């Protein structure tokens, strides 16, 4: 290891240890955290099934940066490249439209065999896999409704697709020896104020109950449900709102997914996590960054990311939390987007873990809010960067911005030649 990195680490470690923080233990705990890299950042949410379908469902990618993955092999190659720059062992989050098959099939006909190439790749590389049914970008989702559709035939199509998705997820979990988190997100909603808010919710509840009627061991598959406040074209009403899924997940023992872009622009998810996990068993995060709306910008080291990380650490919630990323920026290098977002998420967790949590909690209980504020603020400029550099170096991943030159090289040699 570079002696500067080692020396800076030793000095930084002493500062943290003065406050009783066991830095080696922190790094060991950090190395066990898995982040799920969302495959859809790699190709602007296009997928390989039903090629040519426009992205729908009230989500949007802007930008046309060259080099996005056009085949499953290219997408895997790009993910591998990103993982070279991210310390630790992580997961890949697939959507159903990323099936790797030559067969012309529809979403309701998908089977585990259509994902065999993904599984053997993940096995070889030691990655875990997560999954999502794709209830958008499809002719049967054109009017903005899927599982809550008033037409029973359309509903049935989506129910079949979601059932097929759970089977695929189960096979991932079985094959890879770690549970696959399957996240159910549907776009259903109205642009303008509805007259009947209840009936679509009743239909959604019934569809979900049907989908989940077959028991699947949580050893293989964990079902999560994701709420949303509004989308493009569903500004006035979304069937699967936060309250809907909170009630659903609690009464059905499901995992609740919080996407940081799915609430009012000034509302944060960090303040919600402890309340949910007091009553619910598990949490899925879609770490994203809304800018004025659910814009899915690349995750940066902003206050909310830090607050999410602090909540997970201070509340001892990490063991019950699955962390996935969810952003799609088509205006920058696709591989760099993953690297920046994932490194930031890990770095935020590290920063949170390096805080003297027990000591701060004591000070708070004593009512010494002056010290609480003073210490929390001083800790913001403690040398976590030196610990992070050491962690990256030890994991044989590039230190600081060194990864950028490698991404630029990859861009020139591979991405721009596509
Ligand atoms: C949409 C949701 C959902 C999607 C992915 C592609 O608002 O956040 O998680 O981003 O399924
Ligand atoms: Zn999401």
């Amino acid at each position: 290891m570079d002696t500067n990195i080692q020396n800076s680490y030793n000095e930084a470690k002493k500062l943290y240890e003065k406050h009783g923080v066991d830095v080696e233990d922190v790094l060991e705990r950090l190395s066990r955290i898995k982040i799920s890299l969302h495959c859809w950042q790699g190709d602007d949410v296009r997928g390989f099934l039903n090629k040519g379908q426009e992205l729908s469902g009230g989500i949007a990618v802007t930008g046309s940066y060259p080099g996005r993955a056009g085949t499953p092999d290219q997408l895997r190659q790009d993910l591998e490249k990103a993982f070279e720059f991210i310390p630790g062992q992580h997961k890949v989050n697939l959507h159903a439209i990323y099936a790797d098959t030559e067969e012309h099939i529809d979403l309701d006909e998908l089977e585990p065999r259509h994902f065999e190439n993904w599984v053997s790749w993940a096995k070889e590389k030691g990655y875990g896999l997560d999954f999502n049914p794709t209830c958008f970008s499809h002719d049967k989702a054109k009017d903005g409704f899927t599982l809550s559709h008033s037409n029973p035939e359309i509903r049935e199509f989506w129910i079949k697709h979601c059932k097929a998705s759970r089977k695929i997820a189960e096979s991932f979990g079985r094959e890879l020896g770690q549970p696959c988190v399957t996240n159910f997100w549907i776009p259903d909603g109205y642009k303008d104020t509805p007259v009947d808010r209840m009936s679509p919710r009743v239909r959604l509840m019934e569809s979900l109950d049907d989908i989940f009627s077959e028991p699947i061991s949580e050893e293989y598959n964990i079902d999560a449900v994701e709420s949303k406040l509004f989308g493009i074209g569903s500004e006035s009403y979304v069937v699967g709102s936060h309250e809907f899924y909170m009630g659903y997940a609690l009464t059905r023992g499901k995992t609740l997914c919080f996407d940081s872009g799915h609430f009012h622009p000034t509302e944060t998810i960090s303040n919600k996590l402890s309340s949910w996990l007091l009553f619910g068993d598990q949490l899925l995060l879609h770490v994203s960054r809304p800018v004025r709306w659910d814009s899915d910008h690349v995750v940066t080291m902003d206050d909310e990311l830090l607050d999410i990380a602090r909540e997970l650490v201070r509340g001892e919630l990490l063991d019950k939390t699955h962390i996935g990323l969810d952003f799609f920026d088509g205006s920058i290098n696709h591989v760099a987007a993953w690297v920046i977002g994932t490194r930031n998420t890990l770095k935020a967790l590290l920063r949170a873990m390096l805080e003297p949590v027990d000591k701060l909690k004591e000070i708070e209980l004593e009512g010494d809010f002056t010290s609480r504020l003073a210490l929390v603020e001083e800790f913001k400029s403690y040398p976590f960067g030196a610990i992070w550099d050491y962690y990256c170096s030890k994991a044989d991943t590039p230190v600081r911005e060194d990864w950028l030159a490698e991404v630029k090289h990859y861009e020139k040699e591979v991405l721009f030649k596509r």
Side-chain angles (χ1 to χ4, degrees):
M1 181 174 308
D2 181 296
T3 48
N4 282 331
I5 294 174
Q6 182 72 57
N7 291 340
S8 303
Y9 170 73
N10 292 343
E11 289 307 311
K13 193 165 169 252
K14 277 188 218 153
L15 288 177
Y16 286 108
E17 280 172 352
K18 267 210 324 224
H19 290 276
V21 177
D22 183 342
V23 176
E24 272 162 43
D25 179 61
V26 164
L27 294 186
E28 200 280 317
R29 282 189 286 136
L30 184 66
S31 72
R32 280 189 270 122
I33 294 175
K34 287 181 194 291
I35 308 287
S36 196
L37 259 72
H38 52 316
C39 76
W40 51 92
Q41 164 58 45
D43 77 331
D44 304 336
V45 208
R46 284 167 200 247
F48 310 118
L49 217 64
N50 308 321
K51 269 207 141 119
Q53 275 276 357
E54 289 262 310
L55 177 61
S56 77
I59 52 179
V61 179
T62 51
S64 53
Y65 199 86
R68 70 181 147 70
T71 65
D73 282 333
Q74 289 178 352
L75 189 52
R76 285 188 281 266
Q77 188 188 13
D78 293 353
L79 281 159
E80 276 173 38
K81 191 42 81 181
F83 279 127
E84 282 178 27
F85 310 133
I86 298 165
Q89 269 294 317
H90 301 284
K91 296 180 98 177
V92 171
N93 199 2
L94 293 176
H95 240 282
I97 47 170
Y98 290 82
D100 184 357
T101 176
E102 296 294 312
E103 288 174 47
H104 292 283
I105 43 161
D106 209 342
L107 289 169
D108 59 335
E109 300 161 318
L110 282 171
E111 289 180 36
R113 65 193 167 87
H114 302 119
F115 291 86
E116 266 167 12
N117 293 341
W118 282 108
V119 171
S120 49
W121 171 74
K123 221 182 247 179
E124 187 198 317
K125 301 286 174 188
Y127 308 143
L129 287 178
D130 291 323
F131 201 61
N132 306 257
T134 310
C135 301
F136 52 85
S137 300
H138 190 280
D139 287 342
K140 290 199 166 65
K142 275 231 153 80
D143 60 3
F145 283 84
T146 61
L147 289 177
S148 72
H149 207 286
S150 55
N151 177 342
E153 271 167 43
I154 295 190
R155 231 160 46 228
E156 192 50 39
F157 172 83
W158 291 110
I159 290 171
K160 263 183 88 180
H161 171 52
C162 290
K163 285 185 175 176
S165 295
R166 286 180 89 225
K167 289 275 177 208
I168 292 160
E170 179 185 25
S171 78
F172 289 176
R174 211 184 277 276
E175 290 289 324
L176 300 175
Q178 53 177 306
C180 169
V181 179
T182 308
N183 182 50
F184 294 80
W185 172 73
I186 59 159
D188 303 27
Y190 284 119
K191 180 183 177 77
D192 227 326
T193 318
V195 172
D196 182 1
R197 290 172 192 268
M198 184 56 111
S199 301
R201 290 191 169 134
V202 170
R203 290 193 290 267
L204 176 56
M205 180 185 73
E206 288 171 357
S207 293
L208 290 169
D209 283 347
D210 188 352
I211 292 163
F212 299 136
S213 59
E214 184 174 332
I216 296 182
S217 164
E218 286 223 328
E219 202 185 325
Y220 306 127
N221 172 65
I222 295 169
D223 299 308
V225 287
E226 180 181 11
S227 73
K228 190 163 180 167
L229 179 68
F230 74 94
I232 303 168
S234 57
E235 289 85 356
S236 303
Y237 169 75
V238 166
V239 183
S241 63
H242 176 57
E243 294 72 15
F244 175 92
Y245 280 122
M246 185 132 169
Y248 191 86
L250 260 187
T251 51
R252 270 66 170 180
K254 298 296 175 194
T255 295
L256 193 59
C257 172
F258 286 84
D259 183 310
S260 32
H262 285 196
F263 295 85
H264 287 285
T266 56
E267 190 178 1
T268 55
I269 64 165
S270 48
N271 186 27
K272 302 179 189 296
L273 310 183
S274 53
S275 296
W276 164 250
L277 279 179
L278 188 59
F279 303 105
D281 293 336
Q282 295 181 67
L283 162 71
L284 169 63
L285 288 178
H286 268 190
V287 187
S288 191
R289 179 165 55 106
V291 178
R292 306 195 191 284
W293 65 290
D294 179 30
S295 58
D296 294 288
H297 278 62
V298 177
V299 168
T300 55
M301 180 66 78
D302 59 10
D303 285 349
E304 172 59 359
L305 181 68
L306 254 177
D307 282 339
I308 290 170
R310 286 181 176 137
E311 278 302 304
L312 297 179
V313 172
R314 295 175 181 174
E316 295 174 26
L317 310 178
L318 275 163
D319 289 347
K320 299 169 171 185
T321 303
H322 308 275
I323 307 175
L325 304 177
D326 187 12
F327 48 78
F328 20 100
D329 187 339
S331 73
I332 61 171
N333 180 297
H334 295 77
V335 175
W338 276 317
V339 178
I340 295 165
T342 317
R343 283 175 70 106
N344 276 334
T345 305
L346 288 169
K347 221 188 282 180
L349 287 164
L350 172 64
R351 282 182 76 171
M353 287 172 161
L354 286 170
E355 288 180 345
V357 176
D358 294 338
K359 188 169 164 176
L360 292 170
K361 282 182 182 171
E362 261 173 50
I363 289 172
E364 182 166 87
L365 268 186
E366 286 162 10
D368 182 359
F369 303 141
T370 310
S371 301
R372 179 180 67 181
L373 184 62
L375 289 177
V376 166
E377 289 308 300
E378 285 302 333
F379 261 91
K380 286 183 179 169
S381 53
Y382 261 56
F384 65 90
I387 312 281
W388 170 249
D389 292 347
Y390 170 87
Y391 180 69
C392 289
S393 174
K394 242 190 130 192
D396 262 330
T397 45
V399 172
R400 275 175 245 134
E401 67 279 7
D402 283 356
W403 60 269
L404 183 58
E406 295 191 45
V407 168
K408 289 281 179 188
H409 176 75
Y410 182 70
E411 173 172 274
K412 197 164 146 248
E413 296 304 321
V414 180
L415 301 179
F416 285 176
K417 291 188 175 155
R418 285 180 180 162

